[in-house]
């Protein structure tokens, strides 16, 4: 009988997440080029960004509902094909509407990866789920480092944005090769009763965590996706900052086990929210070298948000099963999709207001970026309150934990 090769499945999962992360980083790196080539405003670029964040939750809702019947293997086939289609359509995009469609497919692929791999890993590693989910999610910031450096160096050497998008075909084909033909586990260690999963979604704790996830995701991804536009005139290199931030996040997630064991998930989330709020507030007025200091704090703040939220649902609300893990991620991405055009409009409006006051275009862009960061800082400030409430209930949560 063929054995399940957990190491190969975990490696393939990590590479598929690298592709997901590269789509974010490279899109952030080429945003200015897309705006110039297709004469798009920041608000229009926000709508293009939002398609990736909209496709993601649609895939996680679909994947979460059918995971028990289709399994991780078939969902990864969907992810692989959607990545190929989205990448190729982006390369040959001709304007705003074709960018919307191609970016949606990439977002759907990214969501399918999450819908398949999170429960797959939770099923394979039952005794240390949150730790292994953090190690898996090392490769979201890790992939952003790769994508940010690829984008920066290809841009510096005058390579087109189409070639930057095409670079993602290499890891896509690699994870497809590693996944297909492998034996997958049969949902033995997670609750696979779909009716029970759906019923458990109505628990007050799950609804509370969904609300929190909309804020954690927007804090992290809303800032990162616009990093070139927000920090482009601060005197620092936006893509190097993105690589530095996500590199620190990758290291932090890799060594998450002892931290989570010592502080427990509610404690980790509360401390993360406090640090993220301080970091974004500092970044909203920083220029030059101080941008790097505040960016390091930002990396520490958002590092554990995403995987710890998913791990929390898996460990503290286990009856939601694969559906719960998929929907918590989908909620985060859906919220981020809604806020993308809003963030774009913040930048447009603040820039126009600054130009009307008589400053240069470069100074107006700096002012717009700082005002936008001030607005984004509200999200982690609210999280400090919400996670503070969660932390006070930690003993009750542990007592009810299954």
């Amino acid at each position: 009988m063929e054995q399940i090769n957990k190491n190969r499945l975990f490696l393939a999962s990590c590479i598929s997440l690298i592709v997901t992360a590269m789509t974010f980083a490279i899109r952030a790196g080429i945003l200015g080029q897309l705006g110039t080539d297709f004469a798009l405003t920041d608000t229009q670029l926000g709508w293009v960004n939002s398609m990736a964040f909209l496709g993601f939750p649609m895939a996680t809702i679909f994947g979460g509902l059918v995971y028990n019947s289709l399994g991780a293997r078939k969902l990864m086939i969907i992810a692989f094909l959607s990545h190929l289609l989205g990448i190729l359509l982006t390369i040959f995009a001709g304007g705003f509407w074709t960018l919307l469609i191609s970016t949606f497919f990439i977002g759907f692929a990214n969501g399918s990866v999450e819908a398949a791999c999170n429960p797959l890993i939770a099923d394979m590693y039952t005794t240390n789920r949150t730790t292994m989910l953090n190690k898996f999610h090392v490769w979201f910031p890790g992939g952003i480092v790769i994508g940010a450096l690829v984008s920066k160096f290809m841009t510096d050497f005058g390579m087109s944005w189409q070639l930057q998008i095409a670079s993602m075909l290499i890891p896509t084909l690699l994870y497809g090769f590693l996944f297909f033909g492998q034996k997958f586990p049969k949902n033995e260690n997670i609750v696979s009763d779909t009716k029970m999963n759906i019923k458990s979604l109505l628990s007050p704790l799950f609804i509370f965590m969904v609300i929190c996830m909309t804020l954690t995701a927007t804090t992290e991804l809303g800032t990162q996706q616009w990093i070139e536009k927000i920090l482009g005139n601060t005197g620092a290199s936006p893509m190097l900052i993105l690589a530095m931030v996500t590199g620190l996040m990758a290291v932090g997630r890799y060594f998450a086990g002892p931290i989570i064991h010592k502080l427990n998930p509610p404690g980790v989330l509360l401390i993360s929210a406090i640090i993220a709020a301080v970091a974004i507030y500092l970044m909203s007025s920083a220029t030059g070298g101080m941008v790097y200091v505040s960016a390091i704090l930002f990396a520490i703040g958002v590092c554990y948000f995403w995987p710890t939220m998913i791990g929390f649902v898996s460990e503290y609300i286990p009856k939601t099963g694969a559906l719960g893990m998929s929907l918590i991620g989908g909620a985060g991405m859906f919220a981020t999709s809604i806020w993308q055009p809003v963030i774009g409009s913040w930048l447009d409006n603040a820039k126009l207001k600054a130009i009307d006051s008589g400053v240069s275009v470069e100074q107006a862009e700096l002012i717009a970026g700082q005002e936008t960061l001030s607005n984004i800082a509200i999200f982690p400030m609210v999280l400090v309150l919400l996670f503070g409430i969660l932390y006070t209930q930690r003993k009750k949560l542990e007592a009810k934990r299954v």
Side-chain angles (χ1 to χ4, degrees):
M1 183 178 177
E2 185 182 1
Q3 295 296 312
I4 295 171
N5 189 337
K6 290 185 180 181
N7 290 335
R8 179 162 173 163
L9 290 178
F10 186 77
L11 175 61
S13 298
C14 292
I15 295 174
S16 68
L17 193 60
I18 288 174
V19 177
T20 293
M22 287 181 72
T23 68
F24 285 91
I26 290 178
R27 187 168 58 250
I30 67 172
L31 215 53
Q33 295 177 61
L34 292 177
T36 301
D37 285 3
F38 298 115
L40 303 177
T41 65
D42 285 341
T43 302
Q44 287 176 311
L45 290 173
W47 282 108
V48 172
N49 279 345
S50 74
M51 287 298 102
F53 295 105
L54 179 62
F56 189 107
M58 291 184 69
T60 57
I61 291 170
F62 168 76
L65 288 170
V66 302
Y67 184 90
N68 294 335
S69 56
L70 291 185
R73 182 179 178 277
K74 290 180 180 178
L75 285 178
M76 284 312 303
I77 292 174
I78 293 172
F80 176 73
L81 294 176
S82 297
H83 265 142
L84 286 180
L85 184 60
I87 290 169
L88 292 173
L89 286 175
T90 303
I91 292 170
F92 296 104
F96 177 66
W97 291 104
T98 46
L99 281 173
L100 286 179
I101 294 168
S102 62
T103 306
F104 174 83
F105 274 108
I106 288 177
F108 195 86
N110 295 344
S112 298
V113 167
E114 286 272 335
C117 294
N118 284 323
L120 172 65
I121 291 166
D123 197 16
M124 291 193 299
Y125 302 99
T126 56
T127 59
N128 54 347
R129 286 179 176 175
T130 301
T131 298
M132 291 306 295
L133 283 168
N134 265 280
K135 286 190 174 182
F136 165 56
H137 282 279
V138 161
W139 294 106
F140 188 79
I144 288 180
V145 172
I146 295 168
L149 294 177
V150 166
S151 179
K152 174 174 172 52
F153 290 121
M154 291 182 78
T155 300
D156 289 349
F157 280 99
M159 298 183 185
S160 68
W161 61 264
Q162 290 92 339
L163 282 176
Q164 294 183 43
I165 294 292
S167 69
M168 292 185 288
L169 290 171
I170 297 170
T172 299
L173 294 172
L174 179 57
Y175 87 70
F177 169 76
L178 289 171
F179 261 129
F180 303 137
Q182 293 298 298
K183 182 178 176 61
F184 283 68
K186 297 181 178 180
N187 308 349
E188 296 174 349
N189 299 307
I190 57 175
V191 177
S192 55
D193 183 333
T194 303
K195 289 184 179 179
M196 182 182 290
N197 296 158
I198 294 173
K199 184 179 179 181
S200 299
L201 298 178
L202 300 176
S203 72
L205 180 57
F206 184 78
I207 294 170
F208 178 85
M209 295 306 291
V210 165
I211 294 170
C212 292
M213 188 65 164
T214 66
L215 300 173
T216 60
T218 306
T219 299
E220 177 185 346
L221 300 174
T223 306
Q224 290 180 4
Q225 190 69 106
W226 288 92
I227 199 160
E228 187 206 11
K229 287 284 185 178
I230 289 174
L231 300 179
N233 289 278
T234 59
S237 169
M239 296 315 289
L240 284 181
I241 288 175
L242 183 60
M244 179 188 71
V245 165
T246 50
L248 289 171
M249 289 173 65
V251 172
R253 287 181 180 179
Y254 186 81
F255 295 103
I259 296 172
I260 291 171
H261 179 73
K262 186 176 181 65
L263 296 177
N264 69 52
V268 170
L269 291 170
L270 175 59
I271 292 172
S272 295
I274 293 170
I275 296 173
V278 172
I280 297 177
Y281 176 77
L282 290 175
M283 200 183 296
S284 69
S285 59
T287 56
M290 281 303 297
V291 177
Y292 293 94
V293 175
S294 57
I296 290 171
L297 277 178
F298 175 77
I300 297 169
V302 301
C303 177
Y304 300 112
F305 272 160
W306 190 278
T308 303
M309 292 292 286
I310 294 173
F312 182 97
V313 170
S314 176
E315 293 188 22
Y316 290 85
I317 324 173
K319 291 182 180 179
T320 59
L323 182 59
M325 284 183 279
S326 293
L327 291 189
I328 197 75
M333 285 296 183
F334 181 68
T336 310
S337 78
I338 293 173
W339 284 104
Q340 288 301 300
V342 176
I343 293 172
S345 68
W346 286 342
L347 285 164
D348 276 336
N349 294 335
K351 181 179 175 181
L352 287 173
K353 184 179 177 181
I355 290 174
D356 288 341
S357 70
V359 303
S360 66
V361 173
E362 291 77 14
Q363 186 67 17
E365 289 178 346
L366 172 62
I367 293 169
Q370 291 179 335
E371 286 190 15
T372 299
L373 282 169
S374 296
N375 292 335
I376 294 174
I378 296 171
F379 295 104
M381 290 178 185
V382 174
L383 283 168
V384 172
L385 174 62
L386 295 179
F387 286 144
I389 295 171
L390 187 69
Y391 185 72
T392 63
Q393 301 298 310
R394 67 192 185 282
K395 291 183 179 178
K396 291 182 180 178
L397 293 172
E398 288 292 339
K400 294 179 180 179
R401 191 170 169 183
V402 177

